[in-house]
């Protein structure tokens, strides 16, 4: 075993905290503790959503300040003098040193897709308390840790993909399983992400126009930074935000004009456009479209979430959902079937722990990061930002009337298609809402109906409109509802384009083991071929989801959650192995404990989805029920034809087989990683690391958003030492 860089201590040695600092962090801790106490101890009385915001923000601040710094400088020993792949391998296509502010925007936009918006909304079926605990505790000790550690180790290995790192560090057998599992899971995740976009944009000219306009705006920003005014991040930010706001306003004008029909697209048409966009975004240079578009959308994402938090503090809405509902123990919820354990931890993936993030952290980001010291802000910090999105989504779902929540999220086959029938069925679950209230809720947001608007996005939009209209007035409720729908689509699309590019990297890494030119991720024939394959594969899942009789989200979101958390198990297994092999055995618990928890939860869920005798839970039991119906010549709701029955049988079979296969692959990866770790502990001389050789960095850049006094002085010295300086 070897190490290629000198040991690096924290850039800031031990310093005594000032009384002012101690006072500030004491206040933060007290506010955080108060928030948690109110949420956990309330029994029957009204609880303000402000306490959830206080618990979340206080926990995030403490975790970032202390835990992430400990991991970055004590465990990983990030080295600001070491050149990153972006600096050493800069080719202007995939490897490109990118300003930390732009890269933070890109990374956050890439990881923050459907999960933090949809998962918490669906999980609100179990009550607000289980989801809140998992989102906040999970991100601090698992999700953000995974993202930062994967980003660090990938940066040390020329931006290698997660699967390739597994192959090199664990071995051919476990590595091959990891490569196959990671790629298959990536395809499933992209298909479901795209499905949420289709559901949000279908028949919505406002949303479709506004989203489409972000593409030329991003291209303008890319050329502005690259050609017209290099390095002028502030200028291009102002231009981009102004044009984005114009696109948002113009979207409503288009929706009310003769152009509305042009931008009113059917789901099948949107599938074709999304596949085409994913292909183009994957092959264009990263500076041209991907990075500026993600940076641009981040302004809207962060701005909207910040405004939501402010809106909650100002309007102080009450959490109307129960802390823990009866569905949590019975497991017969109408939104998704299954008990609290393990399905809350599967439904809420992004926002707490997400394997998808490890693909971004070992995909585009390590090829663009300027300094190793930035992994803390970009890896850990971005994940905390995403977790705050999940908290706001859970609040939005929990402040609306529970009767409306269940009427919106239960399938039409369960509650029917009339407000009278829906009111009666929801009332039988213990949540009263009148037909008149259901009709009024739809009228208030200028929708024909809100019944069975599954997928989470419409429910979140209702919650967002509720919060904003409390501040701005009820007359704008419809505007805020449609704004939120468009916001969600923009949120998710940025994860789709970055994910497609990462999928291309993964496939190139894999094929490069068979044909070496594919190893060069910027080899043009290779990137075109692999981009086409990746888009075609996730396009298949998207097409299936759009035409799924049981509802694409209802059928695919469970496998989305399981796949995501299985991928997180691969990432945590690779991280734990690398910590052990690189001489950090005493710190292996940092990723080892989250690995044990994630594997336990996800493999339990996989077992139930494959072998459960409840047709609402088990894929194969569901297949059997519908196959028996076909044999009897009987239609089973919600199928409306025998073609629908056959489609359900086929999709249930595919979903069950995929779940079983992926679970088996992950067991192989974890077992092989355990073997490698034990062997290293016993005979460390047999271990090797594929870490790239140390090269001194010439780039001077801050570690965080705001440069410290020392970093400002270092930057001035660098300018003075430059030729002509």
């Amino acid at each position: 075993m070897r190490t290629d860089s000198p040991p690096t201590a924290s850039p800031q040695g031990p310093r005594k905290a000032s009384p002012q600092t101690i006072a500030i962090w004491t206040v933060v801790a007290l506010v955080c503790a108060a928030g948690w106490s109110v949420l956990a101890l309330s029994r029957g009385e009204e609880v303000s959503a402000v306490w959830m915001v206080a618990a979340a923000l206080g926990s995030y601040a403490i975790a970032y300040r202390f835990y992430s710094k400990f991991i970055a400088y004590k465990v990983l020993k990030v080295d600001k003098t070491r050149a990153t792949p972006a600096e050493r391998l800069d080719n202007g296509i995939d490897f490109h040193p990118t300003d930390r502010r732009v890269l933070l925007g890109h990374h956050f936009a890439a990881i923050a897709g459907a999960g933090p918006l949809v998962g918490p909304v669906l999980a609100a079926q179990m009550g607000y308390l289980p989801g809140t605990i998992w989102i906040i505790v999970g991100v601090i000790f698992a999700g953000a840790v995974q993202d930062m550690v994967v980003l660090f180790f990938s940066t040390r290995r020329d931006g290698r993909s997660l699967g390739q790192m597994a192959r090199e560090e664990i071995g051919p057998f476990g590595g091959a399983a990891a490569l196959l599992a990671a790629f298959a899971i990536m395809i499933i995740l992209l298909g479901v992400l795209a499905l949420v976009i289709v559901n949000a944009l279908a028949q919505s000219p406002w949303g479709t126009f506004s989203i489409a306009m972000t593409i030329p705006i991003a291209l303008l920003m890319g050329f502005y930074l690259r050609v017209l005014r290099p390095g002028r991040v502030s200028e291009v930010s102002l231009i981009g935000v102004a044009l984005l706001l114009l696109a948002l306003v113009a979207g409503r004008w288009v929706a009310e004009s003769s152009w509305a029909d042009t931008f009113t697209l059917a789901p099948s048409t949107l599938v074709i456009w999304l596949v085409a966009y994913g292909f183009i975004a994957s092959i264009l240079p990263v500076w041209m479209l991907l990075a500026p578009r993600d940076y641009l959308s981040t302004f809207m994402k962060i701005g909207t979430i910040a405004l939501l938090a402010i809106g909650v503090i100002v309007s102080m809405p009450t959490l109307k959902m129960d802390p823990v509902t009866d569905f949590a123990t019975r497991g017969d919820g109408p939104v998704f079937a299954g008990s609290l354990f393990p399905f809350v931890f599967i439904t809420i993936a992004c926002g707490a722990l997400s394997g998808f993030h490890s693909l971004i952290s070992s995909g585009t980001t390590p090829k663009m990061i300027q300094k190793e010291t930035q992994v803390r802000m970009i890896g850990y910090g971005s994940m905390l930002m995403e977790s705050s999105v999940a908290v706001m989504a859970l609040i939005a779902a929990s402040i609306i009337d529970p009767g409306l929540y269940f009427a919106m999220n239960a399938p039409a086959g369960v509650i029917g298609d009339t407000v009278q029938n829906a009111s009666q069925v929801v009332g039988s679950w213990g949540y009263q809402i009148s037909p008149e209230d259901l009709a009024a809720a739809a009228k208030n947001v200028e929708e024909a109906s809100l019944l069975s608007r599954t997928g989470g996005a419409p429910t979140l939009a209702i919650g967002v409109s509720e919060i904003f209209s409390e501040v701005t007035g009820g007359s704008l409720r419809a505007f805020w509802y449609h704004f939120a729908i468009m916001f969600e689509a923009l949120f998710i699309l940025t994860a789709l384009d970055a994910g497609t590019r990462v999928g291309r990297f993964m496939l190139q890494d894999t094929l490069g083991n068979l044909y070496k030119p594919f190893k060069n991720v910027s080899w043009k024939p290779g990137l075109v071929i692999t981009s086409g394959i990746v888009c075609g594969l996730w396009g298949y899942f998207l097409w299936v989801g759009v035409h799924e009789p049981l509802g694409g989200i209802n059928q695919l979101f469970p496998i989305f959650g399981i796949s995501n958390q299985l991928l997180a198990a691969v990432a945590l297994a690779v991280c734990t192995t690398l910590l052990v092999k690189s001489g950090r055995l005493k710190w292996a618990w940092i990723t080892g404990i989250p690995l044990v928890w994630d594997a336990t939860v996800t493999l339990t869920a996989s077992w139930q989805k494959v072998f459960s005798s409840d047709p609402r839970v088990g894929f194969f039991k569901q297949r059997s029920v519908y196959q028996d119906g076909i044999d009897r010549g009987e239609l089973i709701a919600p199928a409306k034809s025998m073609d629908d029955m056959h489609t359900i049988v086929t999709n249930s079979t595919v979903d069950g087989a995929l779940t079983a296969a992926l679970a088996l692959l992950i067991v192989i990866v974890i077992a092989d990683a355990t073997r490698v770790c034990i062997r290293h502990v016993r005979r460390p001389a047999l271990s090797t690391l594929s870490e790239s050789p140390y090269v001194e960095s010439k780039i001077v850049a801050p570690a965080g958003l705001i440069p410290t006094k020392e970093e400002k002085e270092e930057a001035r010295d660098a300018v003075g030492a430059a030729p002509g300086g």
Side-chain angles (χ1 to χ4, degrees):
M1 187 183 72
R2 60 179 175 82
T3 57
D4 293 299
S5 63
T8 306
S10 170
Q12 298 172 344
R15 292 187 302 177
K16 186 176 180 180
S18 67
Q20 182 181 8
T21 300
I22 294 174
I24 290 173
W25 285 106
T26 299
V27 170
V28 171
L30 289 174
V31 170
C32 177
W36 279 115
S37 299
V38 172
L39 292 175
L41 301 178
S42 296
R43 293 292 183 271
E45 61 268 29
E46 290 188 349
V47 177
S48 172
V50 170
W51 293 112
M52 194 183 293
V53 174
L57 296 183
S59 300
Y60 297 152
I62 293 169
Y64 185 78
R65 171 61 180 82
F66 298 102
Y67 193 49
S68 71
K69 186 174 182 180
F70 160 74
I71 295 174
Y73 291 106
K74 182 71 173 179
V75 178
L76 301 179
K77 292 182 167 54
V78 293
D79 186 355
K80 70 176 183 180
T81 70
R82 186 186 184 111
T84 64
E87 181 179 356
R88 291 186 290 103
L89 306 175
D90 183 10
N91 61 10
I93 299 178
D94 295 311
F95 293 90
H96 179 63
T98 304
D99 185 282
R100 69 197 184 284
R101 294 161 293 186
V102 175
L103 186 57
L104 177 67
H106 158 72
H107 186 82
F108 172 70
I111 65 172
L117 297 174
V118 177
V121 171
L122 301 181
Q125 168 185 263
M126 301 291 192
Y128 65 78
L129 188 56
T132 301
I133 294 173
W134 170 232
I135 289 170
I136 298 174
V137 176
V139 72
I140 289 171
F141 295 107
V145 173
Q146 171 207 256
D147 291 13
M148 177 170 65
V149 177
V150 170
L151 177 57
F152 171 78
F153 282 124
S154 180
T155 301
R156 283 280 175 101
R157 285 157 179 77
D158 290 345
R160 287 279 191 272
S161 68
L162 177 68
Q164 190 64 21
M165 285 196 294
R167 186 178 185 276
E168 293 173 351
E169 301 294 351
I170 296 177
F173 186 60
L179 275 170
L180 182 59
F183 184 70
I185 290 169
M186 183 67 168
I187 296 301
I188 295 169
L189 299 185
L190 290 173
V192 177
L193 288 174
L195 180 59
V196 177
I197 298 173
V198 170
N199 288 344
L201 292 184
Q203 311 302 327
S204 175
W206 182 3
T208 302
F209 175 83
S210 298
I211 295 299
M213 288 302 100
T214 63
I215 297 174
I217 294 172
L219 288 170
L220 171 63
M221 291 175 66
F223 279 99
Y224 194 95
L225 275 178
R226 179 81 174 187
V227 179
L228 301 178
R229 303 272 286 175
R232 304 286 181 159
V233 176
S234 299
E235 285 182 19
V236 81
S237 300
L238 292 174
I239 293 171
V241 171
L243 291 174
L244 176 61
L245 293 175
L246 178 61
L248 296 180
V249 175
R252 191 174 197 183
W253 299 339
V254 168
E256 297 171 351
S257 72
S258 58
W259 287 11
D261 289 343
T262 304
F263 290 94
T264 303
L265 303 180
S268 299
T269 306
L270 280 169
V271 170
I272 296 171
W273 279 109
L274 282 177
V275 171
Y277 169 75
F279 176 79
I280 294 170
S282 178
I283 62 176
L284 287 179
V286 69
W287 60 266
M288 187 181 295
L289 177 61
L290 189 69
R293 190 183 184 286
D294 290 351
Y295 179 61
L296 173 67
S297 67
T298 297
F299 281 103
M300 183 177 173
K301 293 180 179 184
I302 302 253
T304 302
I305 295 303
L307 288 174
L308 272 175
I310 295 171
V312 168
I313 294 171
V314 172
S315 62
M316 301 182 69
T318 300
L319 297 171
K320 296 178 182 177
M321 187 66 73
D322 298 328
V324 182
T325 68
D326 292 339
F327 296 125
T329 52
R330 295 206 309 259
D332 59 350
V335 180
F336 63 92
S339 56
L340 189 152
F341 180 89
F343 287 104
V344 160
F345 308 100
I346 300 305
T347 305
I348 300 178
C350 305
L353 170 65
S354 172
F356 174 75
H357 297 185
S358 68
L359 302 182
I360 305 298
S361 291
S362 62
T364 53
T365 305
K367 298 177 178 65
M368 301 162 69
I369 195 167
Q370 291 176 313
K371 307 292 289 185
E372 273 191 7
T373 49
Q374 295 170 354
V375 301
R376 178 188 176 209
M377 176 188 70
I378 293 171
Y380 201 97
S382 290
M383 185 53 184
L384 292 183
M385 290 160 58
E386 190 194 77
S387 185
S388 69
V389 174
V391 168
M392 296 311 303
L394 185 58
I395 289 174
S398 300
I399 64 170
I400 67 175
D401 188 297
L404 177 59
Y405 169 86
F406 284 106
M408 292 183 68
N409 288 282
V414 175
I415 64 171
D417 56 4
T418 67
V419 291
Q420 290 78 14
N421 198 58
S423 173
Q424 183 178 356
V425 174
V426 171
S428 69
W429 298 332
Y431 299 97
Q432 302 300 322
I433 186 167
S434 68
E436 292 76 20
D437 287 339
L438 286 173
K443 184 179 179 181
N444 286 339
V445 295
E446 299 179 10
E447 289 283 350
S449 172
L450 290 176
L451 299 182
S452 300
R453 296 293 299 273
T454 58
T459 304
L460 176 59
I462 287 288
V464 169
S465 68
E466 185 83 14
I467 294 170
F468 283 161
S469 62
E470 284 292 322
V471 178
T472 62
S475 61
L476 291 176
R477 191 181 299 271
F479 172 85
W480 289 123
Y481 172 83
H482 288 92
F483 168 83
I485 289 289
M486 188 275 306
F487 156 75
E488 293 172 86
L490 178 62
F491 214 106
I492 298 163
L493 192 58
T494 53
L496 183 67
D497 52 22
T500 301
R501 198 179 194 94
V502 172
R504 187 250 289 180
F505 291 153
M506 294 168 64
L507 186 56
Q508 286 177 281
D509 273 347
T510 303
L511 295 178
N513 296 318
L514 304 174
Y515 185 59
K516 286 188 177 180
F518 278 104
K519 284 282 188 184
N520 178 5
V521 293
S522 301
W523 180 53
K524 287 184 171 54
L527 66 86
V528 171
I529 293 169
T530 51
S531 294
I533 293 173
V534 169
C535 290
L537 289 172
W538 66 253
Y540 163 77
F541 278 96
L542 174 57
W543 187 266
V544 166
V546 165
H547 298 89
E548 166 61 57
L550 291 176
I553 286 294
N554 292 336
Q555 189 75 339
L556 288 179
F557 206 82
I559 193 172
F560 171 90
I562 288 172
S563 299
N564 205 358
Q565 302 304 65
L566 288 174
L567 186 56
V570 173
L572 290 168
V574 171
C575 289
T576 304
T577 303
L578 282 167
L579 286 173
V580 172
K581 289 178 64 178
S582 61
R584 301 173 173 93
L585 175 62
K586 67 178 180 179
W587 305 121
W589 58 268
I590 290 172
T591 54
I593 292 176
L595 169 61
V596 172
W597 166 256
D598 180 53
T600 301
V601 168
T602 313
L603 292 176
T604 300
S606 301
W607 179 271
Q608 292 186 19
K609 292 303 293 183
V610 174
F611 296 109
S612 175
S613 59
D614 184 345
R616 294 170 302 177
V617 177
F619 286 127
F620 288 140
K621 183 62 178 179
Q622 183 183 80
R623 178 201 181 282
S624 175
V625 167
Y626 281 89
Q627 183 61 56
D628 290 345
I630 292 173
D631 295 340
R632 296 191 305 268
E634 174 188 345
L635 284 178
I636 301 174
K640 298 178 181 178
S641 67
M642 277 299 164
D643 284 343
D644 285 352
M645 296 283 287
H646 284 287
T647 298
I648 292 171
V649 168
T650 300
N651 293 347
S652 298
T653 304
V654 171
D655 290 346
L658 271 174
T659 302
L662 292 174
L664 179 60
L665 287 172
I666 269 56
V667 169
I668 292 172
V669 173
I670 294 175
D672 210 21
T674 303
R675 175 190 62 81
V676 171
C677 290
I678 293 173
R679 186 190 66 181
H680 175 82
V681 172
R682 290 177 175 175
R683 303 183 66 184
L686 295 178
S687 297
T688 59
L689 286 173
S690 58
E691 193 172 281
S692 301
Y694 173 87
V695 175
E696 186 176 358
S697 174
K698 306 298 183 185
I699 292 177
V700 175
L705 276 180
I706 302 174
T708 64
K709 180 180 179 181
E710 293 81 1
E711 288 171 337
K712 290 179 180 178
E713 292 175 355
E714 185 180 10
R716 283 195 295 267
D717 292 342
V719 172

